[in-house]
Amino acid sequence: MSYLPRSGPMLVDLYELTMAAGYFDHHITDDAVFSLFIRDYPADRSYFIAAGLADVLAELKDYTFSDSDLNYLKRTGFFTDPFLDGLKDFRFTGTVRAMPEGTVFFKDEPVLEISAPLIQAQLLETILLNTIGFQSVIATKAARCLHAAGGRGLIDFSARRTQGGDASLKVARSSYLAGFSSTSNVLAGKLYGIPVSGTMAHSFVTAFDTEIEAFRAFAKTYPENSVLLIDTYDTIKGAENAVKVAGEMAQKGQKLIGVRLDSGDMVDLSRRVRRILDDAGLKDVKIFASSGFDEHKISQVIEDGAQIDAFGVGTKMGVSADAPYFDIVYKMVHFKDRDIRKLSPGKVNLAGEKQVFRKTDENGNYTEDIIGLKNETPSASARPLLETVMENGKRTVSEPSLDDIKKTVRESLSKLDKPYKALKAAKAFPVTLSDRLRRVQDA
Amino acid sequence: MSYLPRSGPMLVDLYELTMAAGYFDHHITDDAVFSLFIRDYPADRSYFIAAGLADVLAELKDYTFSDSDLNYLKRTGFFTDPFLDGLKDFRFTGTVRAMPEGTVFFKDEPVLEISAPLIQAQLLETILLNTIGFQSVIATKAARCLHAAGGRGLIDFSARRTQGGDASLKVARSSYLAGFSSTSNVLAGKLYGIPVSGTMAHSFVTAFDTEIEAFRAFAKTYPENSVLLIDTYDTIKGAENAVKVAGEMAQKGQKLIGVRLDSGDMVDLSRRVRRILDDAGLKDVKIFASSGFDEHKISQVIEDGAQIDAFGVGTKMGVSADAPYFDIVYKMVHFKDRDIRKLSPGKVNLAGEKQVFRKTDENGNYTEDIIGLKNETPSASARPLLETVMENGKRTVSEPSLDDIKKTVRESLSKLDKPYKALKAAKAFPVTLSDRLRRVQDA
């Protein structure tokens, strides 16, 4: 049975539709501009990685209400027949300007702007916030893990504890684009072409009478692809059993790939296991580790001298446990001929249709961002980050591959100075407003 | 376009399949028993609400690999043709024993046990952990909000910031069964029959030249169903505008339902707005509030004297922000004729096929749980909580309605003493092991 990751326009807060009904009744059909941005950094963060645009554009391509949707809406009693008749022909016909997936961005910066007839632009609020918000949460968390790992491998192990099955797919994709090398999630492998990895769990070991029998059985099935889990009973004895089996494999011309630790003191155990492997001449056998890793634990065990070659990173990355959501919002910033601010306490927006301009130094390193108006050029050398990706409801650029996006992330992060990437954010990247944008706010 | 919330057996960690391939190669086809349980309480929690079983049983009913799945698996290079041929006929033919959705349960207690041929039982790990884990996380969080609200209404507003679209559906369902009255999520309304609610956002107000024009326009479209959002510019002036519009509606025989606050000091503003409404003779007009509510903020504003009739609860409930995952695990506890423990440090399991028995006092209040063996009766008066819901791969009980489950939650929570429901968990509910189960552990 195939999995369909699209939800269509019914995945919407009811008020988007009741407001639409209000606009419809009052013949309000003018174009509006809405801006999607993150109001503030959660604890420890000082940058974000944009993700989710591919899903948004896939949704918008065929964003229609089915007859069954319309029948349901009628049954709710909230809507008139003329309004529902109008929804039959509902299509997205507007313009989407967005930062490409993988772009590093900062708070207050629009990561996406929609320009469309008011009803259309309004209806997209829920799906845009949800899709870009969640996937950027995960891509950002994964990028932090990458930074902590300092070149060691990272594997997404989160499928079992993400917030639903769909979330597990988005996590596999978002962590891969942020720099993870593979995922344990088979469906994500199939859907996105991400390399899959994983070998055995404790239950495999306990299904045999002894650990070494389990190891031998697994090595027989996977003579070229075995990573043995060595902590089911006692990690050190497990390592010794793995050495025995590696020796037996070597006699057949086979090679053990690695061992995995999943509990206990990772620093001490990894060092002892490394020594056991090295003493047996198994310098190429890698040590994988899993169990509660996130960027902080990865950084800590490396600092403490752990001898780990790759980390399986699961739950805490897969739900972004310390920051499971961003304060991402979608606000009308222009309507008819007016730039619009909302003035509720603590919830001020930047009015106007905008662009984000990035300044770099002579080495290409990021020095400053300027949020300006869409049609200005506040600095000749600054590069605009928002690209038009959809016009009149049609895509205007081709979809980058996941590996292209991965490259974007890698390059972007290499141009961001270290203090902004610290696990405990040390300082905020300078983001200023252009004079023209500032004047719009004061108007 | 319709939404398909099922994922099938490809939503699985690769190692479940590589282990299965190992079992296949070694002709290991014996039955195993696996136990699903939560190892510990996250901060502040002292009980859990079981949720997600309906989705699990729906998945298992038709748990098959498609040709395209098998082709993908072949391409990964991990599997032999004989193994993949075997997967063509893969079906779930085992037994599922589970606590009904809505059951209150505690740490270490199996919320579900699977008895099935080893490969089948093993393959279910990812989907069981993900489905029951996530939905129980949300049902538990929502039950805490319900407790804090003390009878006031709760509406799920989380769709925009859940971890994906599928998550938003599961959150709507899990919060509804835990006692929420409705959801803003239209697709959840359609799929689950949950009442939907919601009226207007700030963008509606800013789409008109003045706030009162926006209110009048909305009241015209929704003469019987308007809740006016009054904080776009100034909450007190917004309340005064709402009073004016309510007066105009009254002259036409219409009635304003309520006003909504979405920013600022909720205690002070709700009291001032209540006075403004009451002074205008609008005692029936309700005050709704939203903006960052969770159980703690709800409890705080009520304690501080807020005059709020119903809360829109969004992000923090929808991702269970303070505890976005449970330490839920799925462990083999019996295989062939052996009861199985795993002994890794800090990760000990209870061996044996189990049952949970609940003791109550003369008023039906919960006094103690006993985890025992499946086939024992440790106490004549204790009620077993795990029911057989599937046998030989077929459902053995009919699916309860969502409102039946809601009733189960309400009744269960009413029988749980207050200290266990405190927002800062005061003490742990007594859970003991039966003598016979204890002997199995010591064997």
Side-chain angles (χ1 to χ4, degrees), chain B residues 236-255:
Chain B
I236 299 305
K237 284 185 193 144
E240 289 160 357
N241 281 333
V243 164
K244 264 185 224 161
V245 172
E248 294 163 12
M249 292 172 79
Q251 290 183 344
K252 298 177 205 156
Q254 301 163 355
K255 209 160 137 338

Side-chain angles (χ1 to χ4, degrees), chain A residues 258-321:
Chain A
V259 297
R260 178 161 71 97
L261 314 177
D262 188 50
S263 56
D265 178 338
M266 292 287 171
V267 175
D268 179 55
L269 288 172
S270 67
R271 296 172 68 91
R272 290 166 67 191
V273 168
R274 184 73 268 160
R275 209 167 310 127
I276 291 167
L277 294 171
D278 288 354
D279 288 351
L282 298 170
K283 289 192 191 297
D284 289 350
V285 172
K286 297 224 177 329
I287 298 178
F288 295 78
S290 51
S291 193
F293 279 105
D294 62 5
E295 66 271 43
H296 301 293
K297 186 171 169 187
I298 290 170
S299 166
Q300 190 63 55
V301 301
I302 291 174
E303 196 182 314
D304 292 348
Q307 303 252 7
I308 294 169
D309 300 291
F311 297 91
V313 182
T315 307
K316 286 178 187 167
M317 184 278 293
V319 300
S320 187

Side-chain angles (χ1 to χ4, degrees), chain B residues 40-321:
Chain B
D40 208 351
Y41 298 114
D44 300 341
R45 309 291 195 277
S46 52
Y47 68 88
F48 305 110
I49 302 285
L53 183 61
D55 280 349
V56 164
L57 296 177
E59 285 280 0
L60 292 187
K61 201 177 146 242
D62 182 27
Y63 211 57
T64 56
F65 292 90
S66 69
D67 288 344
S68 120
D69 293 340
L70 296 171
N71 286 338
Y72 168 74
L73 292 177
K74 187 171 170 60
R75 285 201 309 277
T76 64
F78 281 101
F79 307 104
T80 62
D81 286 343
F83 175 69
L84 293 172
D85 280 347
L87 283 190
K88 272 185 198 163
D89 300 321
F90 182 84
R91 298 282 183 284
F92 180 71
T93 62
T95 296
V96 182
R97 299 162 55 245
M99 295 188 191
E101 287 192 285
T103 303
V104 168
F105 70 105
F106 304 100
K107 80 184 183 82
D108 297 326
E109 296 182 350
V111 62
L112 177 146
E113 288 199 337
I114 297 279
S115 172
L118 179 55
I119 288 182
Q120 292 180 26
Q122 181 74 66
L123 273 187
L124 298 183
E125 177 170 31
T126 313
I127 191 79
L128 288 173
L129 287 169
N130 186 300
T131 306
I132 306 259
F134 170 48
Q135 296 187 41
S136 299
V137 160
I138 299 299
T140 303
K141 180 77 174 173
R144 289 167 59 79
C145 293
L146 195 81
H147 184 69
R152 292 166 190 81
L154 294 172
I155 308 162
D156 163 36
F157 270 12
S158 67
R160 62 188 52 202
R161 292 209 200 85
T162 56
Q163 297 199 341
D166 169 65
S168 80
L169 300 174
K170 305 303 162 49
V171 168
R173 181 180 184 277
S174 300
S175 58
Y176 182 72
L177 70 83
F180 276 46
S181 60
S182 59
T183 180
S184 66
N185 190 324
V186 176
L187 188 55
K190 181 186 174 194
L191 291 178
Y192 299 123
I194 301 171
V196 287
S197 70
T199 57
M200 65 162 67
H202 298 107
S203 54
F204 190 85
V205 176
T206 56
F208 291 79
D209 288 336
T210 64
E211 185 180 61
I212 198 160
E213 280 177 70
F215 287 178
R216 283 183 181 129
F218 202 80
K220 195 172 163 199
T221 299
Y222 289 104
E224 294 164 358
N225 228 332
S226 278
V227 175
L228 302 173
L229 178 61
I230 60 174
D231 76 323
T232 305
Y233 303 108
D234 176 289
T235 301
I236 299 305
K237 284 185 193 144
E240 289 160 357
N241 281 333
V243 164
K244 264 185 224 161
V245 172
E248 294 163 12
M249 292 172 79
Q251 290 183 344
K252 298 177 205 156
Q254 301 163 355
K255 209 160 137 338
L256 181 65
I257 298 287
V259 296
R260 178 161 71 96
L261 314 177
D262 188 49
S263 56
D265 177 340
M266 291 287 173
V267 175
D268 178 56
L269 287 172
S270 66
R271 296 173 67 92
R272 289 166 67 191
V273 168
R274 184 72 268 162
R275 209 168 308 128
I276 290 167
L277 294 170
D278 288 353
D279 288 351
L282 298 170
K283 289 192 192 297
D284 289 349
V285 172
K286 299 226 176 328
I287 298 178
F288 295 79
S290 51
S291 193
F293 280 104
D294 61 6
E295 67 271 44
H296 301 291
K297 185 171 170 185
I298 290 170
S299 167
Q300 191 63 56
V301 300
I302 291 174
E303 197 182 313
D304 292 347
Q307 303 251 7
I308 294 169
D309 299 290
F311 297 91
V313 182
T315 307
K316 287 178 186 166
M317 183 279 293
V319 300
S320 188

Side-chain angles (χ1 to χ4, degrees), chain B residues 4-24:
Chain B
L4 189 67
R6 292 187 44 211
S7 48
M10 289 287 278
L11 186 59
V12 69
D13 288 294
L14 180 67
Y15 76 5
E16 317 291 4
L17 285 167
T18 52
M19 287 190 280
Y23 300 140
F24 178 86

